[in-house]
Amino acid sequence: MEVEKIMQDLAKKHPGESEFLQAVEEVLHSIKDVYNQHPEFEKAKIIERIVEPERVIMFRVPWTDDKGEVHVNIGYRVQFNSAIGPYKGGLRFHPSVNLSIMKFLGFEQTFKNALTTLPMGGGKGGSDFAPRGRSSAEIMRFCQSFMSELYRHIGPDIDVPAGDIGVGTREIGYLFGMYKKLTRHWEGVLTGKGMEWGGSNIRPEATGYGALYFVNQMMQTHNLDLKGKTVAVSGFGNVAWGAVQKATELGAKVVTISGPDGYIYDPAGIAGEKNDYMLELRSSGNDICAPYAEKFAGSKFVAGKKPWEVKADIYLTCATQNELNGEDADMILANKPLCVAEVSNMGCTAEAVTKFIAAKQLFAPGKAVNAGGVATSGLEMTQNSIRLHWSAAEVDENLHKIMHSIHEQCVKYGREADGYIDYVKGANVAGFMKVANAMMAQGVV
Ligand code: GLU
């Protein structure tokens, strides 16, 4: 396999899809050595097939706002790969959403889901709809319109969407209601449902919790301890909230959190009611974090900047893609951190990842460290199928086991001759091998 040649062809076929091309290039570089040891993959054109989604659905989403004005958004569902299970992955409602972002997320999801050990293929969807400042009634009408097209493409054994940025339990509720009305089926077609109607315990916390289980294990493997360490976190959505909670529980101190307006530095530690306050700010539609500094003395709001300039032992990206670039990586590396983890999907630019790996930094890639969210969605699917509701302790135990197994797979495929564990390579190779072997077994389809 010649990565450059494949990337050139792909860029020609899909011009302007920068995020998608970035995600593919990272995987191809990681897997090329292993791939070249398998001539049967080359013969079956596994790479050429794996980089193209099985199906892309794009549709118009018209809806009416509270003033009676009509709006039109674009809806997407990218059904990327179903080799190891039904398509599975979240829906993102954010004005930045476009085909490139949907495809990068669907591509990453395929390998992430393979790592979870559960039978889930990869998919992603969403819309360029901006929920910020919209009333619940407007959100409901938007979700209903979105589902009035999507319902014909999904199903518990076909494609199971969930939440992502801008889509939480409220949105999943409106989407589920419309699906049920249109199909007359009460079934586990979406995950991230409310606890009273088929949702799983721990699902809201799962991405953040799973990330900390992974980071903790990474550190223990390197004879390091989370206890007493400082943590810089970006973002203040659901993922950041879960990460802050678990980091605190494991004895670390979180000193930053961030919103689109800047970041908060709180040397006393962000935990408990402070953490809940951030999530409240967010869910009230108030998409800024500045009010935190007014409410909690001793903390500081730094406008228009990211938290990567703060000195910490551990850095966790928990906001969105490409939120940490090469310059940020230099700044972080100068602080000699113990661990950097990409909890958001593709949170680091390619340049940043290259710098971390070249510096032999302990670095966790998104598709491994943030897989706890979708893994718990998989556990929600299991509970729906067997019509049972597991206790929080039971789900948490399974989540622990899954994160442990993902770590093991990264170590197995990522350990280098000098002992350094390249978790990026490990995660990409482990995820790829599983999907590629399944595709080989299923013939040219
Ligand atoms: N959006 C999450 C992710 O990026 C969760 C997807 C899911 O639960 O299906 O993995």
Side-chain angles (χ1 to χ4, degrees), residues 211-220 226 314 316 339 341 369:
L212 265 295
Y213 296 155
F214 191 92
V215 166
N216 198 23
Q217 195 177 349
M218 250 176 126
M219 292 184 64
Q220 283 171 356
L226 252 177
I314 296 154
L316 307 177
C339 179
V369 72

Side-chain angles (χ1 to χ4, degrees), residues 88-90 109 112 124 160-164 191 203 345 370 373-374 377:
K88 178 83 196 87
Q109 197 83 43
K112 182 199 307 196
K124 203 81 185 192
V160 184
D164 195 82
T191 59
R203 178 63 191 90
N345 288 314
N370 78 24
V374 73
S377 276

Side-chain angles (χ1 to χ4, degrees), residues 75-125:
Y76 300 87
R77 187 68 185 167
V78 177
Q79 297 183 331
F80 220 105
N81 193 300
S82 61
I84 63 171
Y87 309 106
K88 178 83 196 87
L91 297 170
R92 177 177 292 192
F93 292 169
H94 192 270
S96 65
V97 162
N98 58 30
L99 186 57
S100 170
I101 291 184
M102 293 286 98
K103 280 176 64 181
F104 115 67
L105 287 164
F107 181 75
E108 290 243 321
Q109 197 83 43
T110 300
F111 304 105
K112 182 199 307 196
N113 293 1
L115 288 172
T116 65
T117 70
L118 303 175
M120 299 185 290
K124 203 81 185 192

